Amino acid sequence: MNYHNYYPVDVVNGPGTRCTLFVSGCIHQCRGCYNQSTWSPSSGHLYTKEMEDQIITDLNDTRIKRRGLSLSGGDPLFPGNVESVFNLVKRVKEECPGKDIWLWTGYLLSELSPEQQQVVDFVDVLIDGKYEKDFADVRLEWRGSSNQVIHRFDLK
Ligand code: SF4
């Protein structure tokens, strides 16, 4: 997997102070996508074990009280990303107690493959669906268009 950006302290992508990883790779080609540079899975930088370790370390750093991890892109559930993202979310739940995971994907929850669903099983909040320019609304919180759905597994 490759990634475009990693923000160890982020207050924009999800609630509270967070670590945010923007991965490379997306097949959805949404009209009006702001992140077209992330579409190619070979764009950006190589995501390494050291990077994964850094994210775990940052989440557990008590000097900055982070609420959790946000995963966006690109698409974290792009098939070529699923193995790496699965390893990351599994480690976060095992090694970072109390931290939540938010994940944005262009896929619909109802159409996920078993491998993608295994990732989502570790996620607290999933925002699903393609960005639809015709339903875009800047007043929406955590999503760009009203067709996208915020699934709160943490509230169930
Ligand atoms: S899913 Fe996201 S990154 Fe992919 S094309 Fe749509 S808006 Fe862009």
Side-chain angles (χ1 to χ4, degrees):
M1 180 170 82
N2 278 19
Y3 72 99
H4 265 246
N5 284 302
Y6 170 59
Y7 300 115
V9 182
D10 178 27
V11 295
V12 176
N13 296 284
T17 303
R18 320 183 60 77
C19 297
T20 299
L21 180 69
F22 289 90
V23 301
S24 308
C26 183
I27 59 164
H28 299 295
Q29 301 189 343
C30 305
R31 191 165 58 92
C33 170
Y34 289 107
N35 295 326
Q36 293 191 20
S37 62
T38 67
W39 287 3
S40 169
S42 60
S43 62
H45 322 279
L46 185 64
Y47 175 83
T48 61
K49 173 73 166 56
E50 288 70 29
M51 186 76 204
E52 183 181 283
D53 290 341
Q54 185 63 54
I55 294 171
I56 299 295
T57 299
D58 289 340
L59 285 170
N60 286 328
D61 182 351
T62 54
R63 291 173 299 177
I64 299 174
K65 193 165 169 29
R66 295 173 175 88
R67 181 163 160 173
L69 172 68
S70 292
L71 295 166
S72 188
D75 195 326
L77 298 184
F78 174 77
N81 294 340
V82 165
E83 184 177 351
S84 295
V85 173
F86 176 78
N87 291 337
L88 175 60
V89 295
K90 186 167 183 288
R91 280 192 69 188
V92 169
K93 285 302 171 185
E94 289 173 351
E95 301 177 35
C96 308
K99 306 300 179 186
D100 65 9
I101 301 173
W102 286 50
L103 189 150
W104 281 257
T105 182
Y107 296 94
L108 293 174
L109 176 61
S110 58
E111 68 183 17
L112 299 182
S113 70
E115 292 77 17
Q116 291 169 321
Q117 182 60 53
Q118 281 189 324
V119 172
V120 173
D121 287 345
F122 286 101
V123 166
D124 298 280
V125 180
L126 179 80
I127 297 91
D128 77 346
K130 293 172 66 168
Y131 171 71
E132 298 280 357
K133 201 173 180 184
D134 293 342
F135 298 109
D137 186 342
V138 292
R139 296 166 300 180
L140 294 169
E141 195 173 36
W142 315 132
R143 56 200 173 124
S145 55
S146 59
N147 60 293
Q148 296 170 314
V149 176
I150 302 174
H151 301 273
R152 301 289 312 236
F153 307 122
D154 55 338
L155 301 181
K156 288 181 180 166

